Amino acid sequence: MSNSVKYIFVTGGVTSSLGKGIISASLAKLLQARGYSTTIQKLDPYINIDPGTLNPYEHGECYVTDDGAETDLDLGHYERFLNVPTSQANNVTTGKIYQSVIEKERKGEFLGKTVQVVPHITDEIKRRIQLLSANNKYDIVITEIGGTVGDIESLPYVEAVRQMMWEFENDCIVIHLTLIPYLSAAGELKTKPTQHSVKALLELGVQPDILCCRTEHELELNLRKKIAKFCNVSMNAVIEAKDASSIYDVPLLMQSEELDKVVLEKLGLPKKSSPDLNKWKSFLERLKNPKSEVNIALIGKYVELKDSYKSISEAFIHAGVSNETKVNLKWIHSDELSKSSIEKKLSDLDGILVAPGFGSRGISGKIQAVEYARKNKVPFLGICLGMQCAAIEFARNVLGLEDAHSTEIAEKTKSPVISIMEEQKKISDYGGTMRLGAYKCQLKPNSKISEAYNKDNISERHRHRYEFNNDYLKEFENKGMMATGINPETGLVEVFELKDHPWFVGVQFHPEYKSTVDQPHPLFVAFVNATLKNKNK
Ligand code: GLN
């Protein structure tokens, strides 16, 4: 084991949803911009093996990595900020930890010992943290501990941190993210919840090195002094994390608070050059000064919880910046779309996106939205289920196959234009068994999609069980729905586009997962561009 790798643990106190993911990603960005190769890992204290089986209402979007891990949406933030792919090892859950320990126990690997939370579960947590530092691939590993300090379920994680702080004394630090609430009746910011939260950590044997304080108002000097004194941290280690108008402001806010400098000092690492954030700043500059605006419908069935479509909404921010355009997303519940309401809901919009999803709820509204986009020549992007809806709509309304459907929703349909893959038929387990992760796709020249990517061979991430049924391909193409992206190994259709339409593209994969600040996704860039043209025509 190399001890040259440095570990930063990020814990959270007082409440959930303080934005540990964004703080971790922002710190990583600053360290990366100083020349340190940095990765971020999320430890989730729930018992599910991964969030793949979770309803988006529970936990927001399920993010998918190149190597096919179904992960927490924070990994999306890590990739969007760092522009470096994450992998299976970047997201660990209590379910995974217990699964490995129990598998070992069944193999007799504990040699007759009693298997316990300490040391066996904590050892497995420490092993998973150190997996990321193997082969000296990274200088710094940031590990974000999900949940809030004091929760029963995060206890083994905090204990693992305590042990690592002891074992790797000079190579570990803890950043505790807390809340400094503002009491309007008293007109004051209050530090007591933070003091209590640090006490809770201390009871578990962990002294934080740095406090990141979420606040709606500036932290005055006196308040910083008070926090430092009561929580045993140095003054420069009390970091103000004020509410920002965009998550992409946070790295610069953290830089002005010198979070990166304090971290490097505490880890005993040289500061190297000051962070090169020119590209990032120019992104922000364009984000805040758009030249035009477009309105795009995001049609899905989990729109009440915007986190369900996190990667899509972020990809629109990146693509908007590339087009110097502000993209206003109109979140529309597919259940609300009917023949009578559709014109009213969609007629003012410059583009339509039909989102990914599972199951039958809301499907009819999605199919009607596709029909509206096709007939009215509104730029359209369908992602995964959105692409499948485009195929169903075309089969029904252009080919006249009235009962065309996906066998996911109508198992016995006579026109299964979307059906389950042969190898999927044998699978009965739900978790981790879909077509997951990166697959190659070959694009047809002179298509909208190859024009968008400006190349013919791409790789994109998947998360689905059902596919377009190639028995119908000839009929589709004869009538103008062209398969312009094909999986070169299986012949499966990955992309459809309509011939006589300004911009109508459906993709079986999820382009949104790969859009980053440094590399806005070309398909989203092209789609936003098409909506701009539609608006200005
Ligand atoms: N439910 C569809 C399938 O499994 C689409 C999945 C998705 O949109 N991610 O094929």
Side-chain angles (χ1 to χ4, degrees):
M1 185 192 323
S2 154
N3 59 1
S4 63
V5 179
K6 303 285 186 180
Y7 300 97
I8 301 173
F9 298 104
V10 180
T11 56
V14 185
T15 77
S16 57
S17 307
L18 288 181
K20 283 193 297 270
I22 301 295
I23 293 287
S24 303
S26 300
L27 171 61
K29 183 77 220 168
L30 294 175
L31 297 171
Q32 182 194 53
R34 279 184 190 269
Y36 286 102
S37 74
T38 308
T39 190
I40 321 176
Q41 175 187 45
K42 174 91 190 271
L43 305 182
D44 275 312
Y46 51 70
I47 296 171
N48 304 63
I49 298 292
D50 59 43
T53 53
L54 287 176
N55 185 316
Y57 288 131
E58 291 280 310
H59 212 254
E61 163 189 282
C62 173
Y63 185 77
V64 179
T65 59
D66 273 333
D67 64 352
E70 296 179 279
T71 74
D72 185 75
L73 58 76
D74 272 341
L75 272 77
H77 291 308
Y78 308 160
E79 290 203 14
R80 288 187 280 275
F81 277 56
L82 296 182
N83 200 31
V84 176
T86 53
S87 69
Q88 297 272 0
N90 291 80
N91 194 192
V92 175
T93 64
T94 295
K96 277 189 188 151
I97 299 283
Y98 272 80
Q99 193 180 41
S100 342
V101 171
I102 290 169
E103 272 168 17
K104 266 195 193 166
E105 186 274 336
R106 291 288 82 184
K107 286 187 192 146
E109 288 182 23
F110 294 107
L111 307 174
K113 290 267 179 224
T114 308
V115 182
Q116 295 179 295
V117 174
V118 183
H120 303 102
I121 293 297
T122 46
D123 278 353
E124 179 62 16
I125 295 174
K126 290 193 296 182
R127 189 182 73 81
R128 298 283 185 136
I129 295 169
Q130 288 165 67
L131 261 187
L132 274 173
S133 55
N135 312 324
N136 286 337
K137 195 169 161 204
Y138 299 106
D139 305 318
I140 300 173
V141 175
I142 300 180
T143 298
E144 179 195 339
I145 316 246
T148 307
V149 166
D151 294 350
I152 291 175
E153 51 193 23
S154 50
L155 286 176
Y157 293 96
V158 180
E159 169 59 14
V161 170
R162 187 195 66 77
Q163 292 181 19
M164 280 190 71
M165 297 287 282
W166 179 249
E167 285 164 39
F168 302 89
E169 205 188 343
N170 300 318
D171 297 321
C172 292
I173 59 166
V174 172
I175 300 178
H176 189 54
L177 179 61
T178 100
L179 176 71
I180 311 286
Y182 179 76
L183 287 194
S184 46
E188 265 183 327
L189 286 167
K190 291 294 186 187
T191 66
K192 195 75 85 189
T194 295
Q195 296 177 38
H196 281 288
S197 163
V198 170
K199 257 197 201 127
L201 257 184
L202 282 170
E203 275 170 21
L204 302 172
V206 174
Q207 165 66 53
D209 298 280
I210 296 173
L211 293 175
C212 269
C213 305
R214 280 299 303 274
T215 169
E216 289 171 25
H217 300 274
E218 204 178 308
L219 294 184
E220 307 273 344
L221 192 65
N222 275 342
L223 214 81
R224 289 184 193 241
K225 274 191 190 152
K226 190 171 168 188
I227 297 170
K229 190 167 169 183
F230 285 114
C231 302
N232 329 315
V233 297
S234 45
M235 264 289 284
N236 67 349
V238 178
I239 303 290
E240 172 189 291
K242 221 165 127 189
D243 292 356
S245 60
S246 153
I247 55 170
Y248 300 109
D249 283 322
V250 180
L252 298 182
L253 293 177
M254 290 302 105
Q255 189 188 22
S256 67
E257 285 287 300
E258 305 196 327
L259 174 63
D260 52 332
K261 276 194 190 164
V262 181
V263 162
L264 292 174
E265 268 163 28
K266 301 224 179 254
L267 287 173
L269 288 174
K271 297 203 181 66
K272 298 192 184 174
S273 53
S274 66
D276 176 5
L277 289 167
N278 287 335
K279 228 177 148 184
W280 193 272
K281 284 181 187 157
S282 103
F283 171 87
L284 275 177
E285 178 71 25
R286 282 178 296 150
L287 175 68
K288 298 199 168 156
N289 300 292
K291 300 207 167 110
S292 19
E293 229 173 289
V294 289
N295 296 315
I296 297 179
L298 191 160
I299 298 169
K301 65 173 179 180
Y302 307 110
V303 291
E304 308 90 315
L305 183 70
K306 304 222 166 6
D307 271 359
S308 309
Y309 303 106
K310 195 77 204 160
S311 293
I312 293 178
S313 57
E314 296 304 316
F316 272 120
I317 294 179
H318 310 152
V321 167
S322 294
N323 283 284
E324 297 188 90
T325 297
K326 179 164 190 278
V327 176
N328 301 314
L329 284 183
K330 302 287 170 201
W331 303 75
I332 298 176
H333 203 296
S334 45
D335 267 347
E336 287 168 12
L337 293 177
S338 62
K339 281 224 151 56
S340 57
S341 71
I342 201 143
E343 176 75 31
K344 196 164 151 240
K345 297 242 181 212
L346 300 181
S347 63
D348 288 341
L349 302 175
D350 307 307
I352 293 173
L353 179 134
V354 175
F358 293 84
S360 59
R361 184 169 69 89
I363 198 91
S364 120
K366 286 185 174 180
I367 294 171
Q368 287 180 54
V370 175
E371 181 179 1
Y372 183 91
R374 181 175 61 77
K375 288 186 172 158
N376 293 285
K377 308 232 182 273
V378 182
F380 168 84
L381 178 59
I383 299 180
C384 207
L385 183 66
M387 175 265 211
Q388 298 177 353
C389 287
I392 296 166
E393 191 279 326
F394 191 80
R396 288 185 187 175
N397 299 330
V398 179
L399 305 184
L401 303 169
E402 269 169 37
D403 66 341
H405 223 318
S406 162
T407 56
E408 176 181 8
I409 293 142
E411 211 184 328
K412 303 229 150 56
T413 171
K414 280 196 231 79
S415 312
V417 289
I418 304 295
S419 66
I420 198 157
M421 291 181 288
E422 227 17 73
E423 59 266 37
Q424 283 281 341
K425 286 186 183 158
K426 303 175 233 112
I427 296 172
S428 57
D429 279 6
Y430 271 109
T433 55
M434 285 186 263
R435 174 142 89 108
L436 289 166
Y439 285 86
K440 286 187 189 137
C441 172
Q442 212 160 38
L443 305 180
K444 298 258 163 75
N446 305 320
S447 57
K448 296 255 161 46
I449 188 112
S450 69
E451 196 182 300
Y453 281 85
N454 198 19
K455 54 184 172 187
D456 298 332
N457 286 293
I458 59 168
S459 163
E460 289 285 3
R461 300 178 195 172
H462 290 246
R463 181 174 185 249
H464 56 105
R465 229 178 273 286
Y466 297 81
E467 306 278 354
F468 177 71
N469 180 348
N470 271 331
D471 292 350
Y472 294 90
L473 183 57
K474 253 213 177 93
E475 257 184 288
F476 266 63
E477 293 207 314
N478 284 343
K479 289 275 159 72
M481 181 69 99
M482 313 308 286
T484 52
I486 303 283
N487 179 315
E489 272 127 39
T490 57
L492 290 169
V493 174
E494 310 281 36
V495 186
F496 266 130
E497 55 187 82
L498 265 183
K499 246 185 183 168
D500 299 313
H501 190 288
W503 209 93
F504 184 108
V505 178
V507 289
Q508 186 58 80
F509 48 76
H510 289 263
E512 70 274 21
Y513 293 142
K514 280 179 54 167
S515 187
T516 71
V517 167
D518 272 1
Q519 286 176 309
H521 197 286
L523 197 56
F524 278 86
V525 174
F527 178 47
V528 171
N529 190 260
T531 63
L532 253 180
K533 283 188 187 142
N534 179 39
K535 183 186 174 186
N536 297 332
K537 81 172 183 262

